[in-house]
Amino acid sequence: MAVDRTTLLTMYRDMWTIRLFEDAMAAAYLEGKQPVFNIAAGPVPGEMHLAAGQEPVAVGVCAHLRREDAVAGTHRPHHFAIAKGMDLRRMAAEIFGKVTGLGRGKGGHMHLFDPETHFGCGGIVGAGIPHAVGAALAFKKQGRDNVAVAFFGDGAANQGAFHEGLNLAALWKLPVIFVVEDNAWAISVPKAKSTAIASNADRAAAYGIPGVYVGENDALAVYEAAGEAVARARRGEGPTLLEVKTDRYYGHFQGDPEVYRPKDEVPRLKANDPIDRLGRRILETGAGTQADLDAAREEARAKVDDAFRFARESPYPSPEEALMHVFAE
C-alpha cells in the first residue's frame, strides 16, 4: 500500500508527540513520589500506564480513521488518544486532575473521554471491546460508513468479552476492527504462560473473519494491515482481527519494579526503535529530508511542552464540584 509524503510525516510527528508526552509524563509522575514511593503524592496521583515503544499500533491504525469513527482504548490509552487527534492540552489537564481537563479532572489518565474525537477508554481489561461493537452496530443501523476500533492487550484476548464481541460483530457483519497489542506481557505474565496459541490472530477463524498478524513493531506494516481492515469494514463486509507485536519500554505501571523482566530486554527493544525506523524509511524513499524530520520532532516537542504548561497552570476543580457532572443534568 502506497503512503503519501503528508501521511508519512504526520505519522512520524505523531509518534514523536506520543513518545515525548509519555517521557514527560514519566518525569512529572515521579514528582513528590520519591525517595519513598507514594502513589497518592505529587501533581499526578494514582496509577500511571505509559505506552512509549507502542506508537506504531496507534498511528498505523488511526491514520485511516475519520474524526467521526469511534475508538475504544485501554488502561494504557495515551498513544491511541493522541493518534486519534485528541486535544493535547485538555488531555494533559485531565491527567493532572485540573478543571480544564476532558472530564473536569475527575477521570484521570485511565478514563479519557472525548466526544469531539469519538474516543473513550477505561480501566477494566477488555471492556472497550463491547463498547466498540456497540458503536459499530449504531453506525450500521444509521446507514453510515463509519467504523469502530477496539484496541486491547494480548491479556484481554483471553477475556469473555473478546469472544462475545467477535461473535456478535461477525454474526451481524459490523464495521469494527479488533486490534490486539501484543507487548509480550499481560501485566507481569508472559504470553506463553497465559495464552493457548501463539497468535491471537488465528482466533479469527473461529468466527469466520480475517485474522492478520503483524510480527514487527513497524508503523508502515501496521498501516498496511489496518488499511485493508478499515476499507473492508467501510464496504460493509464486516470485522477484522489484527494482532501487532509491539514493545513496551516502561513497566506495566510507573513504580513497577519489573522483577519479572530480563534486565537486557528494554535496551534490546530500543535498539530497533520504531520512530528511528520510520525516519530511515522516509529518508531512504525520498519522502522527506532530515530537515523535515527535525521540524516534525520540534513541532511535537512544542506541542507537548505547551500541553504540560497548560495543565500545570490550570486550576483544580472546586470542592463544590465533587458531585457535579457525574450524571446528565
Side-chain angles (χ1 to χ4, degrees), residues 289-305:
T289 64
Q290 186 60 51
D292 292 326
L293 300 186
D294 294 343
R297 179 172 177 166
E298 288 311 305
E299 182 183 348
R301 187 184 304 282
K303 196 174 175 184
V304 170
D305 289 347

Side-chain angles (χ1 to χ4, degrees), residues 29-30 68 70 79 96 111 126 233 276 292 307 312 314 320:
Y29 181 75
L30 283 180
E68 298 78 16
H79 53 328
F96 274 75
H111 304 98
D276 293 342
D292 292 326
R312 289 182 184 277
S314 291
E320 291 76 19

Side-chain angles (χ1 to χ4, degrees), residues 141-218:
K141 292 283 188 183
Q142 293 167 348
R144 297 160 57 183
D145 71 345
N146 290 115
V147 303
V149 177
F151 290 105
F152 49 95
D154 54 288
N158 295 324
Q159 294 271 22
F162 168 82
H163 298 282
E164 294 171 36
L166 265 68
N167 180 61
L168 282 183
L171 181 66
W172 295 337
K173 225 171 182 179
L174 300 180
V176 57
I177 300 95
F178 302 99
V179 184
V180 185
E181 281 189 305
D182 175 13
N183 64 18
W185 298 101
I187 305 181
S188 59
V189 180
K191 187 178 181 182
K193 296 281 188 182
S194 63
T195 304
I197 56 177
S199 171
N200 283 299
D202 292 345
R203 288 172 157 169
Y207 302 99
I209 64 175
V212 181
Y213 181 71
V214 179
E216 295 182 278
N217 197 28
D218 178 73

Side-chain angles (χ1 to χ4, degrees), residues 1 64 212 214 220-230 240 242:
M1 177 177 290
H64 295 283
V212 181
V214 179
L220 294 180
V222 177
Y223 180 87
E224 183 168 356
E228 294 178 11
V230 171
T240 297
L242 305 180

